[in-house]
Amino acid sequence: MTELRTSKPRAAQVGTAGGLLRLSRPRQWHKAAIVFAAPAAAGALTVPAVVLRATLAGIGFVLLAASIYAVNDLRDAPDDRRHPRKWSRPVAAGAISPPVALAFGVSAAVAGLIIAGALGWATFGLAVAYLLAQGLYVLGLKHVAVVDLMIVALGFVLRAAAGATATGLPVSQWFLLVSLFGAMFLVTGKRKAEYVAAGNAITRPVLAAYSVAWLDQVLTVSLVGTAFVYGLWAFQYIHHDTYRELLAVSFLPFLTGLLRYALLVSTGRGEEPERELFRDRVLLAAGLTWVTLLTIGLYLA
């Protein structure tokens, strides 16, 4: 307790700019990179205009996410101050005042919507849907079992779809289904890892509504769904030219990565999938092999 009391004043000494940067959670910005998924799958990442528009979409969604983080930290500040890890968040620690956090959240939301609007009405609509869904999540739906999983997964799907609308590329049913099942797989894996790591000291209230058996069931369904839909997409290229057939071969490292991550989750790891990717050699090797096969199949064919 002494350490906690002496650490809080130091956290409050962080400058406003630094506090706002922490409030926007830079470690989470990489999630917006999913806007490049549709252009990548279409083999269009060699077109400068496509890359530019996808980059703008990514920036827009980073700003929208930052606005949600600000509202979340503002709303949860009283509880965060009593949390063993979250007490150091800028609002809870006193580094950022509630009015400044609110102003930052509103400004980030407006800026994100302006950027999305500049990329077309379809992208703007997806941005509004993302903001509304995540806002409802923060305002209470994150405490509703099952709904919390669906909203977090929906956030990934909306960003992936925005990458297509922003660049004017068609979205196939395979792309959307892989995005949905893949997002559900990662989100459920994260919840399972949190559940196992928490033990009897559950700090996320909604976890108390789950059971290991149910999470395992959803994890299995989402894994099978992701692998099945990806396989349907990949195997349509059999009997094409040699390079295109590598897309079918990419199913093997893709499935290996899914199964490896599921194994890590079963052992209590996987709470941060992006970190596990670089910590686990098998997962990293599977990921690199998959990306290599996709790159050759999509861009050299």
Side-chain angles (χ1 to χ4, degrees):
M1 182 64 72
T2 302
E3 181 181 354
L4 182 63
R5 289 176 179 172
T6 57
S7 297
K8 284 188 177 182
R10 286 200 297 271
Q13 298 302 312
V14 177
T16 301
L20 291 177
L21 181 63
R22 288 180 55 211
L23 188 65
S24 65
R25 302 188 192 177
R27 289 180 60 184
Q28 304 298 326
W29 291 357
H30 66 277
K31 293 178 180 179
I34 196 171
V35 299
F36 289 95
L45 287 183
T46 56
V47 181
V50 168
V51 174
L52 175 60
R53 292 180 69 86
T55 300
L56 289 174
I59 293 172
F61 276 89
V62 165
L63 290 168
L64 294 177
S67 72
I68 295 299
Y69 292 140
V71 174
N72 178 79
D73 288 6
L74 183 60
R75 180 180 173 82
D76 291 352
D79 293 332
D80 288 346
R81 293 188 183 100
R82 298 188 295 270
H83 195 278
R85 289 184 293 106
K86 297 179 181 179
W87 66 264
S88 62
R89 287 178 172 175
V91 178
I96 296 296
S97 67
V100 171
L102 180 60
F104 173 77
V106 172
S107 300
V110 171
L113 290 176
I114 289 175
I115 292 175
L119 295 171
W121 284 108
T123 306
F124 179 77
L126 291 170
V128 170
Y130 173 84
L131 198 60
L132 288 175
Q134 300 304 312
L136 290 173
Y137 175 85
V138 166
L139 294 177
L141 291 184
K142 66 180 179 180
H143 300 308
V144 181
V146 180
V147 176
D148 73 308
L149 296 178
M150 294 305 298
I151 290 183
V152 175
L154 178 62
F156 284 96
V157 176
L158 290 173
R159 282 178 286 197
T165 59
T167 54
L169 297 169
V171 180
S172 70
Q173 67 271 30
W174 308 126
F175 177 79
L176 290 177
L177 286 172
V178 170
S179 299
L180 176 59
F181 280 115
M184 278 300 301
F185 176 68
L186 290 176
V187 172
T188 305
K190 178 179 173 65
R191 287 290 185 272
K192 168 72 182 298
E194 290 176 347
Y195 189 100
V196 173
N200 295 324
I202 292 178
T203 56
R204 187 189 292 270
V206 73
L207 288 179
Y210 294 128
S211 68
V212 172
W214 186 86
L215 289 170
D216 283 337
Q217 187 178 48
V218 177
L219 195 66
T220 300
V221 170
S222 56
L223 187 157
V224 172
T226 305
F228 180 72
V229 177
Y230 183 86
L232 288 177
W233 171 78
F235 280 94
Q236 69 181 317
Y237 293 104
I238 289 181
H239 303 310
H240 284 62
D241 62 73
T242 303
Y243 288 135
R244 281 289 186 180
E245 288 194 343
L246 290 179
L247 295 176
V249 178
S250 73
F251 177 77
L252 183 59
F254 183 80
L255 181 60
T256 300
L258 292 178
L259 293 174
R260 183 67 179 186
Y261 178 69
L263 175 62
L264 296 177
V265 168
S266 71
T267 64
R269 293 167 58 183
E271 190 170 343
E272 296 182 79
E274 61 278 6
R275 292 189 62 187
E276 295 299 339
L277 177 62
F278 294 99
R279 289 174 54 189
D280 186 83
R281 293 182 179 179
V282 175
L283 194 58
L284 180 60
L288 290 175
T289 302
W290 174 64
V291 170
T292 300
L293 291 173
L294 278 184
T295 300
I296 296 174
L298 290 171
Y299 292 92
L300 296 184

